[in-house]
Amino acid sequence: MKTKQIVGLSLSVLFGILSFVLPYEALGLPSEVALHTVGVLAITLALLLTETFATPITCFICIALMYLFGAVDSFAATLAGFTNTTSFFV
């Protein structure tokens, strides 16, 4: 792995840990679920910007993390955003 990829993976792990350790009230977020969602966003951006994995793999990781971090109620809810045809064109 390149140094850039190692940094991206390290940041992703750090963001994942921080999304469970930091108090959401101190960050001005309305709930713990919001903090987990921001954590998944930060992880996904770190992986995408540093090109740690191929883009499709990073997106599948994001889908799994949304469910595992409790940001959505069910796995079907995680996949619901991908049923919109607009997402395929963007």
Side-chain angles (χ1 to χ4, degrees):
M1 289 183 94
K2 297 178 184 177
T3 305
K4 180 176 155 182
Q5 294 170 324
I6 294 171
V7 169
L9 192 58
S10 301
L11 283 174
S12 298
V13 171
L14 178 68
F15 292 149
I17 293 170
L18 288 177
S19 69
F20 283 97
V21 175
L22 291 176
Y24 66 89
E25 299 93 357
L27 299 172
L29 295 172
S31 68
E32 191 173 2
V33 174
L35 179 62
H36 295 321
T37 305
V38 170
V40 172
L41 175 65
I43 291 168
T44 304
L45 286 176
L47 291 175
L48 285 172
L49 293 175
T50 58
E51 299 173 345
T52 305
F53 304 111
T55 303
I57 294 172
T58 301
C59 293
F60 283 125
I61 290 170
C62 171
I63 291 170
L65 288 178
M66 288 292 287
Y67 180 67
L68 293 174
F69 279 25
V72 291
D73 295 329
S74 66
F75 192 71
T78 305
L79 297 174
F82 293 96
T83 60
N84 189 347
T85 56
T86 306
S87 63
F88 292 110
F89 295 113
V90 175

